[in-house]
Structure formats: C-alpha cells, structure tokens
Amino acid sequence: RKPRVAVLSTGNELVEPSASHLPTAHIRDSNRTMLKAALVTAGYSVVDLGIALDSPEALTDHLRKGLEEADVVITSGGVSMGEKDLLKAVLQDCFKGKLHFGRVLMKPGKPTTFVTVPWKVDSSHKLVFALPGNPVSAMVTFYLFVVPALRKMAGYGNPELPVMKVKLGQQVYLDSRPEYQRATLDLCPSGGGLPVASTTGSQCSSRLISMRSASALLRLPPRTDDRKQLEAGNEVDALLIAMPT
C-alpha cells in the first residue's frame, strides 16, 4: 500500500495562508500547502499537522501526532543553525530518532535532514524528512529525497525521478556546490536533437515563482578553477518533476 504522510510546518513567524491579517515580522505558510498538494496529486493520503511553534513542547506534541497517524512525517523549517532550530534535538532526544544525515552538499537544500524513529506500537521505524524552510529548498528536496522514498515504500520497481539528457538554452553560472536549477523543457526544438532547457529566472531559494512553471531540475556540477560556467548548447541531466507542456 502507499504510505500515509503527515506534513508539518515549523516557525514562530508563520501564519495560515488564509489569515486575513499578516502581523509584523510574520509570513504566510506556503510550504505546507505546496507539499500537501504535491502529495495528493501523487495519490498519497495526507495528515495535516498544522504549524508548530519553535519550542520543544510544541514540536514534540505535533511530531507525536504525526508519528501516531502516518508512516512518514515531512517537516519544513527548524533544521538550520539558528537558536530556534530545535527539530533535530527533539527528534533525537524525545523520540530516540537516529540521525542519518543533517547536511547535504547541494544547492538549494543544504540543511536537509533525515531521521528514522523506532515505533514500539508495531515495532516499525517511522521516517522523518526535515526539509529546509525556504520554499524552493523545501520543494526541490521533496522531489529529490521524499518522492523516491515514498515510491520505494509503495512498491515502485524504479522509484527514482526520470532523467533525460537536455541542452542548455542559455549560459549558466556554476555554484561551489552541486546545484539543481528549475527549468522548463522544449521537447521539440526547431533545430531537432535533444530537448532544450531554459531556467525559470532567478534561482534564489526564496523565490517560489521559480517552481511555478518548472517541469525539470537541472543537475549542474560544482564550479572548478577551470570551469566557472556552462555554455548554451552544453548537455546536462534533467530530472523530471512534471510533464513538460
């Protein structure tokens, strides 16, 4: 069967997207809405855990509900290096979770964390994917880490995202880390040959609109002394996250 998935946002600064008033120093919670929509579209049953404040007590209560009701818990926020980033400690100290990784050499999504939690009720292990709080980082890491895991649990023979070779439609500057840039694909370019990928503008991890039209993530190598950019026409791998239109 397909796993049941719980989704939690964390942060004192968050308010519901439907809130009529946005207090000073607050932002609307976009991550939970996006993640729930992506999960439902893929056919998974979702438990909405709401928003947890940045306190050990609030995080423990929300996480316990998710672990009781779901096979997999997805959180966003609370995994960087700030004073209020308490999620890793709560998972390890309160739930005896095993931290498998808490940093990933990639852009966006460096703080991505994965923990398994022993569950005495049925002697199983629950999976917790703690994703970064920046909206683009959350969605990119959802597709790269969470989707393949859910597909594996659901019995897919090949759970990884489909990958295809594409040509860059423009020059792209490389980062010091491997990077996954959002892009649209032209499957039938006028000159024939491989599909052509065009990035969706600024790739800032807080710029959510860069995800709106994206059908692929371009897997770019890290910058080196000899190679600081890729030129238009260079070939790269594109991981498909939606059907190109």
Side-chain angles (χ1 to χ4, degrees):
R1 68 174 179 88
K2 284 190 171 182
R4 186 171 171 84
V5 187
V7 180
L8 172 67
S9 289
T10 71
N12 295 340
E13 74 281 10
L14 298 179
V15 298
E16 292 289 346
S18 58
S20 58
H21 172 65
L22 188 64
T24 302
H26 284 69
I27 56 174
R28 301 186 192 278
D29 176 17
S30 59
N31 291 356
R32 205 166 91 252
T33 301
M34 291 188 302
L35 291 167
K36 288 182 346 185
L39 289 163
V40 170
T41 299
Y44 294 97
S45 177
V46 177
V47 178
D48 187 345
L49 298 177
I51 299 170
L53 296 178
D54 290 321
S55 74
E57 297 78 16
L59 290 169
T60 299
D61 289 344
H62 283 77
L63 287 169
R64 181 175 290 111
K65 176 178 171 60
L67 294 166
E68 288 173 348
E69 298 187 17
D71 306 295
V72 178
V73 177
I74 304 172
T75 69
S76 63
V79 288
S80 292
M81 302 296 288
E83 180 182 336
K84 296 294 186 179
D85 291 323
L86 306 171
L87 199 54
K88 292 176 188 174
V90 169
L91 286 167
Q92 291 177 287
D93 298 341
C94 300
F95 295 98
K96 308 304 179 187
K98 179 179 179 181
L99 178 66
H100 295 272
F101 57 81
R103 280 283 187 275
V104 183
L105 184 63
M106 62 178 289
K107 180 184 179 183
K110 183 179 178 180
T112 302
T113 297
F114 174 58
V115 176
T116 52
V117 175
W119 201 244
K120 295 180 180 179
V121 175
D122 56 6
S123 299
S124 66
H125 282 79
K126 304 296 181 84
L127 309 188
V128 181
F129 291 92
L131 309 182
N134 273 332
V136 172
S137 300
M139 289 308 296
V140 168
T141 52
F142 168 76
Y143 284 114
L144 292 178
F145 295 98
V146 182
V147 168
L150 295 178
R151 289 177 174 176
K152 181 72 173 180
M153 295 172 73
Y156 281 56
N158 183 11
E160 300 295 333
L161 295 177
V163 180
M164 63 190 307
K165 287 289 185 184
V166 299
K167 285 187 177 181
L168 292 175
Q170 74 252 63
Q171 185 184 69
V172 173
Y173 287 96
L174 300 176
D175 190 77
S176 59
R177 291 171 284 167
E179 185 174 8
Y180 293 84
Q181 291 201 7
R182 284 68 69 200
T184 59
L185 299 181
D186 180 0
L187 297 181
C188 301
S190 57
L194 290 175
V196 174
S198 300
T199 62
T200 56
S202 170
Q203 298 290 299
C204 177
S205 61
S206 62
R207 185 177 179 267
L208 187 53
I209 199 171
S210 72
M211 288 293 304
R212 185 180 66 84
S213 59
S215 55
L217 302 175
L218 302 183
R219 185 160 55 197
L220 304 179
R223 181 179 62 240
T224 65
D225 291 339
D226 298 327
R227 182 176 60 182
K228 293 180 171 55
Q229 71 271 334
L230 298 179
E231 305 299 335
N234 284 170
E235 294 182 15
V236 298
D237 286 338
L239 286 71
L240 300 185
I241 59 174
M243 287 301 296
T245 58

